[in-house]
Every structure is written in C-alpha cells, then in structure tokens.
RNA sequence: GGGCGCAUAGCUCAGGGGUAGAGCACUCGCCUUACAAGCGAGGGGUCACUGGUUCGAACCCAGUUGCGCCCACCA
C-alpha cells in the first residue's frame, strides 16, 4: 500500500475535529457497554458519583482520567470491563439550589408543601441537573451509559430501605436525643464530617458568677449561652473551689441558682479552672450534665434565635452575645477586660454558616462494630490502600469514629422508613411492606444523610439487594479511585456498609473494592490550592476546548504520582498539546513514507542495528509502562512514553529512518518497522490520550478502532515482546552512534556552522568500529559530505575511536579553545576525584567490587579524555594558523 | 491539642548509600523537505541547617528551623 491511498492528514492536530465525532462513534458501537455474560476476567470501577448540582472541575478531570486509563487498558487486555457512571442526589446542596430558585419567585418550600416541593426538585433535576454527564463525554470517559444510576432511582432507594431495615433489626440504628451539629441556615442536623473547623477570632469574656464567698469566675466565647447554664463545674481535686462544690450559686442576669459540680472533665490549668455548663448547647456540657443529672435548658430555636424569656428573647445568637456582655458589664459582672481569642469554630460545609450545637432527637448509626470490620479489612489485606502511607489516616478515622447522625430535617432525599403509632409505637418498614394503617400513624418526616445512600454505591448500582448477574460479575469492584481528601467520609462508609450488606459473600468477597487508589489535589502552577476566592481555578472544559481532551488528560496524568498533588498551569497543558501534535506529525511522517502494519512482526534477521535498537527500547518501555500501570504510577508511565516517543523515536529513529527510506533495498524493511513501532506506541498511549491515538491508529492500520486492539506486552503470536526484542548489543551500538553525532554537532555548533551547511569530512578509522555500518546515516545526520579530491582538513576531533576531520569550514578558534578548556577542566576534576577514591585503602577493602571496577573505569575514561582534549588543544594551535578566514560565518 | 508529610535548578516536581535528573522558563544558532505546537547546541543546584552512622550520605539516624495537610467537643 502506498502513501497516496491513505487518509491525508493535515500538518497540525486539530482535536476539535476529532474528539466529538470519535466519542459518539465509540458510544454508537457499544464499545463501553459491559457484557456480564461474556467470558473472561472482569474488571470494574464505579464512579464516585458527582452531585447532580455539580459541574466538571479539575478534581473530577484528574479522577476520571485515571479511571478511564485503567479501564481502557484492561479492556484492551481482554477483561470484561465495566465503568459505571451515575450521580448523587446531594440532599442539602440540591435542596438549597431549588430553594434559592423559589426564593426568586418569592416563595419558600413551605409555601409549596412537601410533595410539591419534591416534585419541583425532580423537575429541576430533569431540566438543569446532571450537566456534568455531558461534560464527562468531552473528557472521553468510556463509561457504560446503559448502566447509569442515580442515588434516588427506584432500585437504589429500595437498597437504602433494605439496609436501613436490616440495621434497625440488628440494633445498629437507634434514635436518641443528643447534641448534634445544627445548621441554623439549612435548618438541619449535620454529621461531623459536614462540619468544617476553621479558626475564628473570638472574644473570651470572663464573668463572675455568684457573689461574696460564692464568687467564681468563668470564661466563655459564647456569652449568650449562659442563659441556658444549669451549673458551674470545677475539677474534683481543685482545692481553690473545694468549698463550693455541692453548693448553689447565683447565675447572673436570670438570678437562677445553679449548682457547682465537681467533674474530672474540667482542666484546672485552663483559665480559672471553673467552667459554665450549658447542657443543651455544648457537647461537653451535655456529657457533664448527664453525669450529674442536670437539666438541659434550650435557649435557642432552630434559627439560632434566643427563646429564653427576658430582655434577650427574639435576638439572633450573634446579636444576643454583645447584648448579654453589655448587660453583664452594667452589673459589674465582667472581670478584667475581654480579650481576643483565636479558636476553631465549626461551619456548615454546605453554606458556611457557623454551626450551633443543639440538643435534638435524631437517628444514629452505631458505627463501632461496622467500623471495626472496615478497619480489619484493610489491616488483613483484603483491601489495599495505595499508596500505603495513607492507610494510617484511614485507621485513625475508622478506629475512632463517633456514632453517625443520619437524619436530616430536609425534604429532598430518602425518607426515613419509620412510622410512629398513636401510642408511641415505632415500626421500621422494609421494602415491599405495607406501612401500618389506622389513625394516628405517621411516617418520620426526616430524610437520610446523602452519604447514607452514597455508602451503598458499589453494590446498590449493581442491583443489590437482588441477586443480579451484574452483582455476581462485578462485585467486589476492582479499584476505587478518589482523592485522599474524601478517603474518610466516603471510603470508610462504603467499607462499613459493603462488608455489612454483602457479608453472605464471605469475608474476601464482601469488600466493596480490592484496591483504593488515592490521588491528591489539583493545584495551580505555583502549587497553591485552587479556590474560587483566590481566583486561580482552571476550568477543564476551557482547556478541552482550547488544547483538546487528550492534552488535558495527559497534563493531569503526567502530574499525578500516587497520593501526590498535581500542579498544573497553562505551560503544562501547552506542552501536552505539543506532545499530541508531535505524535500526530510523527505518525504522519510514517504514513507519508508508506509505513505498513504487517500481520506478523518484522523478521529479526533482516533488521539493522537501528531497527533492533528501537524495537529493543520499545520492549523495555512496554514492560515499564505495564509495571507503572499496576502501581498507579501515572506520572511515570506518561514520562516514560513521552521521552521514548519524543527523544528516541522522533529525534533519532525517524531521522535514521530517513536514510534507510531513501535506499531502495532498505525502504521496505523500514516501512515495516515503522508500522510495527507506531502500532505499538499508539496502543501504549491510548489509555491516557484516547482520541488522537484512535485517529492515528485507524489511519495507520485501516482498522475501525484502537479501543479493542490488544494491549501490547504480548503479541498476537503469543510472543512476549519484552524479552524477545531486547537487544543490549544494538542498544550499545546506537548509544555509541548518538554520542558521536552529539559530539560532532556540539563542535559544529561551537564553530558557528549553520545546521544545514554541508561540510566535507573524513571519518578516519570508522570502518574498524561498530559504527562502520552506519557511516551513511552518520554523514546524513551531520550533513557531512564525502571529501573531494582536494580535501584538506582544517579541524579534527576524536570520539568513539573515530577521528573526524572536517574540511574547510571550521574556524572559530576561540570558541573551540574555550570549549576544550572547559572539557579539560571537567576531565581533570573527575580524574582527581576518582584517583583520590582509589587511593583509599578503606574504599578498596570495603566497597563492592562492581563499584571499584566502575570507579577504575571512570578514572581511565577521564585520563583518556584529558589526553584527547589536550591533543585537540595542541592541534588547534597548529592548524588554526593557516585557515581562519574560510568559515561558516560569512552568513551571520 | 494529637497525627502525618514536605524542604533537590528561576517555577512545578521526580529520584534515592557509589558520575545530581525531568518539564517549563532562560542563552546561542537554525524555516535542515513529519512537525516553528519544530530542530540543534548550551548555562544553571553546598539536594534547608547541625550533628551521627559509613570506605563513601542529597539519600539512613537524631536534633533544629521553615512550610503544608489531616484529625480534634478545652470553656
């Protein structure tokens, strides 16, 4: 087949013209769809479900690039692969979005009522939700769209109900009155992980309680809570307050009398050693209150407004605070001046409002037994965390987990399947069961924490609780790819629920995934966290539009070491775009020169050293890439492929190929090697940069798609590519060639010779070296002509045992001398260092023989270098006299 | 308050007991017929500091300093 019969490729890669079309082709041909009944090993990944409200950001792009690369490689390896997409209903986030929309219409959800509001949210989801799914297509995600799931789907809701019922029956879910994190803006309880602690500059106020002998000073940053104080606590051993313990003192402002209790929780070293106790509004105080049977006095409502009777009633908590302080000051109750105080305060992770600890009746998961199992699965190796260093964080979380508050005072989410009877009966209703009928029965009004359904994701998406073919085939999933930032709250919970729900499968098969592969955060080009407030965020879609999906993916993959953060900037993606273009042009070169992919690998006996060298390197690179894939070393595998493709294939092999393509008897063989080489190279790159590789590969081979081409590593004949193709002799020979060419190029550059200028030269002694066979190539790479009849050398240099004598051209004696003097100094330094080393008896006695040999070799090389360079310097002095005016500089 | 990690070129980072690396940036020269989104040749580092182990330390150990991150119910 000849070049003209093939697709003409433009000289620059235009991602926009390729990507959309290819993606739709892949989908249309069903290449992403997993066939659960197909033979062969299975490989599955469930996508960390993005929020319906979300759009694609760099974090997703990183996540998805890694998952897609893993999936694509396995698919090429012949696994039955499933990458399952879907979305999370994102309770609070979504409800907030729709409530804001309603607010614009001057309405609240209460105006609509529950049923209409939920309907409205579904409507919102249908119209504006899930933008991210379309954006995933732009990235090239090879997800199985036929299996797309949503946490509020009928099936997944049934899974939620089922597991709730089981947990309830196993006494692992309970309802209790506890201090929980309350968001006064969202009007709902929050779990610990939905609270972000940030330092806030507060004011520490010291207040004198009681009077006369009873006086005791307490400090607080939340003065308004004193309205709900029901005690003062001191440490039992604190002599300063021994006389007060058990007595009652006067609480300022209200005039109530409250007891002084002795409790070991109090730190006598901190502040005055006395603490005000507000059981209804502080978790510690709640515990103290429980221990001493203190009443809990709620003084704030769900909006954070004071309800305690008196002058402060109706004030917001932040208005009440200074008001209370002012009133105390008036009464002379403020001791000393208030002072600024930096302390960590909890904020609602959804809206940023300061969280209010609040006593209320909520549902909890008893996590202790579940968390223990989740920890054990990692401890005994059923689940591997990668990189292993991060397992410590996992254990820290799992081994010290508080009970999980799962009820939310929201309308959007899975409603708690519990009914309360007129006589206080509590009935948990499982799926398919009829709720109790009759007067007075009512369902719990709350919904479940969004993370409750997310925790079921690895099996609820596969059909659990039914025994489906998908569940049997694809559970446990092969790997979970996510950022270390959500290792705890999501990963740990999937582990707990997976092990619990799937326990019948046996300990090894109940785990939700076999490996957790963690990556870091995407940062900006200066390594700073991306944030909207800093204005340094980058939109992946913008990059995809301007540089292509492949360039975007390659940038992220290339920066991603396991567990490490990725710094990206426009320079990076430009480089990746350039790389794609380089591949484009290299393949284009191969095509223009009639490269062809033969059914069988090239006949080794017919190959030149250059061919054997590049195929040997290809084999080495193939093995490395395979290994890096197994270890999630995306950065390294990209690096290896980048350098192989660019430095070795393009800069050397293609240049060498130009010579052999020009020789009629060698051209066919070279075309064959080029075909083989690019076929393999493109396949190796496909998982990371799917679009450009598919486009080029189909042009090269005439096949439909690279997606189903076998992964290299073993060729069609069952021959292992590494091993068979490795050729150390060819590698050494070509290394020698490259050193020679580089050395002469350096000389030419120093001489100011233009790269294209042809110079007559003699390569004296080349025939006696292994490079003899390459003389033609070497001359071509270096633009050296055969010497004419009247050849007269004006300069010479030695390298690789060859004396290169250059004809009239070389001239810049000063530059050459400077260069040689520098080389001489370096060689002398090296010689000195190695000599000193070899003079040490301790070194000779204790260092391994290989190191000693190596050092001797270095010394010999350095000495030879000194001699050679000295010789050149001397020769320079002689030959420079006569020939300094004919040179390559006349043009510049 | 507890735990973990990091300090290597101008920037972002890899490496890891035996010759200091990459990308980008920088300098010089080139439109050499796949590619100027390119080609060739260069410059640039006390591997944070102080000690220790070792024939040998950027690497291992201890301490110091600086910087991150995670967890956390001390008012």
């Amino acid at each position: 087949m000849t070049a003209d019969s093939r697709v003409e490729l433009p000289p620059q890669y235009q991602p926009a013209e390729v990507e959309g079309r290819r993606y739709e082709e892949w989908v249309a041909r069903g290449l992403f769809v997993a066939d659960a009944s197909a033979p062969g090993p299975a490989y599955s990944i469930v996508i960390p479900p993005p929020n319906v409200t979300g759009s694609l950001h760099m974090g997703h792009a990183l996540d998805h690039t890694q998952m897609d690369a893993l999936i694509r490689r396995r698919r090429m390896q012949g696994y039955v692969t499933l990458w399952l997409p879907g979305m999370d209903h994102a309770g609070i986030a979504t409800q907030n979005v729709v409530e804001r929309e309603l607010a614009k219409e001057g309405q609240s959800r209460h105006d609509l009522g529950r049923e209409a509001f939920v309907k409205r949210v579904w409507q919102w989801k249908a119209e504006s939700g899930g933008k991210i799914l379309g954006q995933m297509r732009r990235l090239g995600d090879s997800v199985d769209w036929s299996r797309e799931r949503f946490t509020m789907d009928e099936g997944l809701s049934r899974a939620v109900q089922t597991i709730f019922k089981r947990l309830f029956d196993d006494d692992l879910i309970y309802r209790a009155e506890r201090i929980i994190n309350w968001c006064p803006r969202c009007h709902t309880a929050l779990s610990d992980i939905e609270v972000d602690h940030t330092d806030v500059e507060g004011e520490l106020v010291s207040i004198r309680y009681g009077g006369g002998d009873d006086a005791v000073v307490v400090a607080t940053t939340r003065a308004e809570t004193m309205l709900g104080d029901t005690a003062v606590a001191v440490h039992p051993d604190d002599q300063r307050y021994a006389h007060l313990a058990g007595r009652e003192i006067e609480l300022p402002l209200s005039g109530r009398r409250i007891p002084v209790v002795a409790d070991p929780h109090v730190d006598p070293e901190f502040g005055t050693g006395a603490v005000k106790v507000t059981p209804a509004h502080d978790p510690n105080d709640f515990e103290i209150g429980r221990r001493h049977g203190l009443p809990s006095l709620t003084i704030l409502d769900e909006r954070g407004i004071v309800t305690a009777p008196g002058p402060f009633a109706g004030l917001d908590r932040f208005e009440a605070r200074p008001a209370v302080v002012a009133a105390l000051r008036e009464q002379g109750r403020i001791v000393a001046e208030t002072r600024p105080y930096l302390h960590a305060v909890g904020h609602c992770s959804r809206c940023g409002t300061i969280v209010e600890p609040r006593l209320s009746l909520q549902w909890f998961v008893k996590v202790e037994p579940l968390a223990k199992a989740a920890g054990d699965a990692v401890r005994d190796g059923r689940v591997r965390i990668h990189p292993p260093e991060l397992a410590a964080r996992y254990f820290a979380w799992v081994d010290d987990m508080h009970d999980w508050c799962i009820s939310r005072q929201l309308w959007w989410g899975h409603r708690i399947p519990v009914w309360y009877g007129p006589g206080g009966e509590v009935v948990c209703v499982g799926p398919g069961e009829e709720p109790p009928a009759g007067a007075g029965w009512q369902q719990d009004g709350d919904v479940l924490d969004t993370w409750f359904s997310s925790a079921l994701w690895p099996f609820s998406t596969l059909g659990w609780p039914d025994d489906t073919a998908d569940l049997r085939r694809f559970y446990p999933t092969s790997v979970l790819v996510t950022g270390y930032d959500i290792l705890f709250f999501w990963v740990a919970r999937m582990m707990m629920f997976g092990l619990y729900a799937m326990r019948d499968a046996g300990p090894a098969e109940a785990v939700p995934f076999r490996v957790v592969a963690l990556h870091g955060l995407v940062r900006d080009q200066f390594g700073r966290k991306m944030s909207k407030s800093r204005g340094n965020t980058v939109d992946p879609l913008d990059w995809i539009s301007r540089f292509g999906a492949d360039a975007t993916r390659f940038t992220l993959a290339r920066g991603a070491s396991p567990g490490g953060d990725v710094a990206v900037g426009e320079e990076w993606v430009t480089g990746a775009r350039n790389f794609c273009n380089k591949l484009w042009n290299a393949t284009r070169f191969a095509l223009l020169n009639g490269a062809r992919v033969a059914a069988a690998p090239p006949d080794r006996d017919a190959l030149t050293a250059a061919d054997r060298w590049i195929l040997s390197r290809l084999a080495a690179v193939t093995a490395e890439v395979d290994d890096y894939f197994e270890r999630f070393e995306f950065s390294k595998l990209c690096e290896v492929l980048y350098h192989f493709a660019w430095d070795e294939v393009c800069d050397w092999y293609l240049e060498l190929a130009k010579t052999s393509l020009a020789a009629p008897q060698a051209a066919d063989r070279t075309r064959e090697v080029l075909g083989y080489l690019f076929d393999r190279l493109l396949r190796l790159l496909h998982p990371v940069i799917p679009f450009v590789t598919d486009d080029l590969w189909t042009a090269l081979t005439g096949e439909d798609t690279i997606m189903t081409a076998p992964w290299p590593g073993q060729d069609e004949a069952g021959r292992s590519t590494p091993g068979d193709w490795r050729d150390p002799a060819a590698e050494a020979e070509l290394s020698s060639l490259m050193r020679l060419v580089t050395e002469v190029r350096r000389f030419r550059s120093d001489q100011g010779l233009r790269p294209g200028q042809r110079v007559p030269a003699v390569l004296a002694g080349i025939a006696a070296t292994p490079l003899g066979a390459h003389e033609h190539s070497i001359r071509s790479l270096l633009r050296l002509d055969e010497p004419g009849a009247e050849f007269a050398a004006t300069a010479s240099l030695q390298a690789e045992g060859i004396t290169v004598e250059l004809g009239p051209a070389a001239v810049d004696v000063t530059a050459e001398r400077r260069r040689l003097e520098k080389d001489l100094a370096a060689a002398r330094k090296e010689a000195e260092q190695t000599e000193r080393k070899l003079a040490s008896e301790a070194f000779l006695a204790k260092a391994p023989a290989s190191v000693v040999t190596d050092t001797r070799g270095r010394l010999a090389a350095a000495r030879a270098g000194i001699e050679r360079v000295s010789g050149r310097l001397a020769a320079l002095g002689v030959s420079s006299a006569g020939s300094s005016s004919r040179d390559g500089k006349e043009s510049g």
Side-chain angles (χ1 to χ4, degrees):
Chain A
M1 195 180 272
T2 53
D4 45 48
S5 73
R6 293 175 184 274
V7 189
E8 282 294 320
L9 298 176
Q12 281 192 340
Y13 175 51
Q14 305 293 345
E17 287 171 22
V18 171
E19 294 178 353
R21 181 171 45 82
R22 290 239 164 237
Y23 192 86
E24 293 315 321
E25 245 173 63
W26 291 334
V27 173
R29 299 184 47 201
L31 293 168
F32 302 164
V33 178
D35 179 359
S37 64
Y43 187 85
S44 59
I45 300 179
V46 290
I47 217 160
N51 290 354
V52 240
T53 53
S55 56
L56 193 81
H57 59 62
M58 274 297 171
H60 296 123
L62 174 63
D63 236 24
H64 292 201
T65 296
Q66 297 195 356
M67 285 185 269
D68 197 39
L70 293 172
I71 280 282
R72 283 179 186 273
R73 169 167 170 266
R74 289 297 187 205
R75 190 152 41 217
M76 290 171 82
Q77 285 180 321
Y79 285 71
V80 177
T81 51
L82 168 62
W83 186 15
L84 189 144
M87 288 186 297
D88 194 287
H89 66 280
I92 303 184
T94 311
Q95 176 157 330
N96 283 350
V97 167
V98 177
E99 281 193 294
R100 267 198 298 277
E101 222 174 59
L102 281 176
K104 278 187 212 144
E105 301 161 17
Q107 282 189 301
S108 79
R109 66 180 155 123
H110 301 283
D111 296 330
L112 265 69
R114 184 166 192 143
E115 205 172 315
F117 177 77
V118 170
K119 216 169 144 188
R120 173 79 184 241
V121 180
W122 277 108
Q123 188 192 334
W124 175 89
K125 190 225 167 205
E127 286 164 9
S128 346
K131 284 203 179 75
I132 192 164
L133 296 178
Q135 297 169 334
M136 284 164 54
R137 296 172 166 257
R138 307 258 334 255
L139 240 198
D141 289 357
S142 60
V143 294
D144 184 348
W145 292 110
S146 73
R147 285 181 169 84
E148 185 192 329
R149 296 287 185 269
F150 182 54
T151 48
M152 294 274 283
D153 282 350
E154 192 278 325
L156 277 74
S157 298
R158 199 153 48 84
V160 166
Q161 212 180 341
T162 305
I163 199 157
F164 189 100
K165 171 80 173 160
R166 286 194 195 173
L167 289 164
F168 183 90
D169 291 344
D170 283 347
D171 286 327
L172 291 171
I173 279 188
Y174 65 93
R175 193 178 191 222
E177 190 163 58
R178 290 286 153 81
I179 292 270
I180 43 83
N181 305 295
W182 181 267
C183 176
R185 202 214 62 82
C186 302
H187 289 192
T188 181
L190 303 172
S191 64
D192 291 347
I193 56 161
E194 289 167 304
V195 176
D196 300 328
H197 288 89
T198 48
D199 279 348
V200 166
E201 188 75 50
E203 267 195 336
L204 193 64
V205 196
S206 299
I207 309 166
R208 184 165 44 83
Y209 280 20
D213 293 351
D214 295 345
V216 56
V217 176
V218 299
T220 182
T221 52
R222 293 194 298 155
E224 74 283 5
T225 60
M226 69 175 294
L227 301 172
D229 283 2
T230 54
V232 166
V234 297
H235 195 274
D237 301 335
D238 196 334
Q239 290 310 309
R240 291 171 298 177
Y241 301 112
H243 65 291
L244 284 177
R247 290 173 63 179
E248 292 204 329
I249 61 172
E250 184 204 348
L251 177 66
L253 299 182
S254 78
R256 293 199 327 265
R257 294 194 70 78
I258 55 174
V260 176
V261 299
D263 192 283
H265 169 78
V266 179
D267 176 4
E269 305 294 316
F270 189 91
T272 60
V275 189
K276 61 192 277 305
V277 181
T278 323
H281 293 283
D282 183 281
N284 287 314
D285 295 4
F286 179 74
E287 291 305 317
I288 294 176
R290 275 227 297 213
R291 285 196 284 272
H292 298 89
L294 300 171
S296 296
L297 212 58
T298 295
I299 56 119
L300 293 171
D301 69 8
E302 66 276 6
R303 293 165 302 170
I305 287 174
V306 177
T307 54
F312 308 105
L315 291 181
D316 179 79
R317 54 191 168 145
F318 297 118
E319 297 165 357
R321 188 168 300 167
V324 166
V325 172
L328 287 167
R329 180 166 285 133
E330 217 164 278
Q331 294 186 7
R333 289 289 188 166
I334 300 293
V335 181
E337 264 321 291
T338 61
R339 60 185 179 85
Y341 187 73
L342 194 68
H343 62 144
V345 174
H347 295 72
C348 172
S349 63
R350 276 293 150 213
C351 70
T353 304
I354 291 182
V355 161
E356 194 62 41
R358 185 180 156 82
L359 185 63
S360 70
L361 190 59
Q362 305 283 350
W363 285 96
F364 294 86
V365 171
K366 191 190 286 178
V367 298
E368 207 267 330
L370 299 169
K372 165 114 183 23
D376 288 345
V378 175
R379 261 184 282 271
D380 64 25
R382 274 131 67 209
V383 175
R384 265 174 41 228
I385 290 185
H386 190 89
E389 301 92 85
L390 286 171
R393 280 198 196 180
Y394 173 82
F395 293 133
W397 169 265
V398 148
D399 293 343
D400 184 30
M401 209 177 200
H402 294 134
D403 280 357
W404 173 15
C405 174
I406 50 169
S407 43
R408 295 290 178 277
Q409 289 64 53
L410 305 170
W411 288 350
W412 175 241
H414 302 101
R415 195 152 172 187
I416 292 178
V418 171
W419 293 71
Y420 306 107
E425 304 93 324
V426 177
V427 174
C428 181
V429 180
E433 293 172 13
E434 281 299 315
W441 281 92
Q442 240 188 336
Q443 184 173 7
D444 193 300
D446 291 349
V447 301
L448 289 164
D449 181 4
T450 293
W451 293 98
F452 191 91
S453 52
S454 316
L456 317 181
W457 190 249
F459 49 94
S460 63
T461 50
L462 296 174
W464 189 91
D466 298 337
D467 180 24
T468 63
D470 276 7
L471 193 63
R472 280 199 303 269
R473 195 70 209 269
F474 298 115
Y475 192 94
T477 62
S478 307
V479 59
L480 178 84
V481 178
T482 189
Y484 59 67
D485 50 334
I486 62 166
L487 171 62
F488 319 107
F489 44 98
W490 189 43
V491 176
R493 284 171 181 181
M494 283 191 288
M495 290 282 284
M496 295 195 307
F497 280 9
L499 289 164
Y500 175 76
M502 297 293 296
R503 59 182 180 236
D504 291 346
E509 301 303 306
V511 296
F513 24 73
R514 308 234 182 248
V515 178
V516 179
L518 297 161
H519 60 248
L521 271 33
V522 183
R523 296 173 176 273
D524 75 4
Q525 57 192 310
F526 305 112
R528 298 174 310 189
K529 213 166 174 168
M530 282 191 182
S531 71
K532 283 193 190 118
S533 59
R534 215 194 308 260
N536 63 344
T537 55
V538 179
D539 180 2
L541 296 163
D542 173 53
W543 275 14
I544 291 171
S545 303
R546 289 162 57 214
F547 304 102
D550 288 333
T552 305
R553 293 167 60 117
F554 193 78
T555 304
L556 292 167
R558 192 181 187 183
S561 56
D565 291 346
V566 186
V568 298
E570 199 138 320
E571 296 86 350
W572 280 259
V573 74
T574 307
R577 188 266 321 257
N578 294 353
F579 177 58
C580 293
N581 193 50
K582 188 74 180 176
L583 281 175
W584 180 266
N585 276 294
T587 311
R588 184 164 156 255
F589 171 86
L591 280 169
L592 289 170
N593 285 287
R596 61 160 179 273
V597 182
D603 174 10
R604 185 172 189 144
D605 296 335
L607 301 183
T608 65
D611 299 331
R612 282 181 282 118
W613 159 71
I614 199 67
L615 295 180
S616 174
R617 290 291 305 135
L618 173 68
V621 164
T622 303
E624 280 179 79
V625 167
D626 250 345
D627 183 46
Y628 288 142
F629 256 115
E630 297 296 333
R631 289 155 43 199
F632 307 101
E633 293 272 12
F634 295 98
S635 166
K636 287 185 183 149
L637 73 90
C638 287
E639 204 67 20
V640 163
L641 286 166
Y642 179 91
H643 286 293
F644 175 67
W646 202 313
D647 301 349
E648 301 187 275
V649 173
C650 291
D651 290 348
W652 288 102
Y653 186 74
L654 292 191
E655 292 307 317
L656 290 164
K658 285 174 184 173
T659 322
S660 52
L661 285 165
Q665 72 283 8
D668 265 353
R669 185 210 74 236
T670 304
R671 289 189 189 109
E672 210 179 310
V673 174
L674 282 172
Y676 184 83
L677 177 62
F678 278 88
D679 167 34
R680 296 305 171 111
L681 178 60
L682 292 169
R683 284 198 240 168
L684 287 170
L685 282 161
H686 177 257
V688 179
I689 45 174
F691 291 109
V692 69
T693 48
D694 197 36
D695 211 54
L696 292 173
W697 193 82
T698 50
L700 183 72
T701 60
E703 309 261 348
D704 291 329
T705 179
I706 194 172
M707 274 191 64
T708 48
W711 177 252
Q714 211 175 20
D715 63 22
E716 294 75 0
R719 226 168 33 163
S720 173
T721 307
D724 282 0
W725 287 107
R726 295 305 289 273
D727 190 335
E731 290 195 22
E733 193 169 322
L734 267 288
S735 292
S736 171
L737 182 150
M738 289 187 265
R739 281 195 301 272
L740 172 69
V741 170
T742 301
E743 185 72 8
V744 177
R745 276 179 181 160
R746 186 162 86 141
F747 180 83
R748 286 186 56 129
S749 178
D750 287 344
Q751 295 306 310
L753 289 168
R754 279 175 289 113
Q757 182 176 348
R758 308 207 62 93
V759 178
V762 170
L763 300 176
I766 192 168
T769 72
L771 296 184
H774 299 282
E775 178 166 355
H776 191 56
S777 298
I778 289 167
R779 283 183 176 277
S780 150
L781 288 171
L782 289 167
R783 324 272 153 193
L784 300 179
D785 286 338
E786 294 289 346
E790 297 177 16
F791 177 77
T794 57
S796 74
L797 72 161
Q798 289 168 331
E800 304 300 309
I802 296 160
T803 303
V804 181
E805 294 173 350
L806 294 171
V811 277
D812 192 341
V813 176
T814 333
E816 174 68 354
R817 176 165 291 147
R818 214 167 24 229
R819 161 60 36 81
L820 290 173
E821 276 164 0
K822 208 181 128 192
D823 285 0
L824 189 60
R828 282 190 172 137
K829 192 176 159 199
E830 171 79 359
E832 209 177 294
Q833 277 175 357
T834 44
E835 257 166 25
R836 204 176 320 128
K837 210 163 192 177
L838 288 163
S840 152
E841 278 176 38
F843 172 72
L844 294 174
K846 299 201 175 178
S850 62
V851 173
V852 176
T853 313
D854 186 52
T855 309
R856 289 217 171 93
R858 276 167 53 202
L859 177 58
R863 282 181 175 154
I866 292 171
E867 197 146 320
R868 180 166 44 93
V869 175
S870 304
R872 261 163 77 181
L873 268 169
L876 199 62
V878 176
S879 68
S880 63
S883 61
S884 56
S885 60
R886 293 191 314 268
D887 59 38
K889 287 179 74 188
E890 75 271 24
S891 58

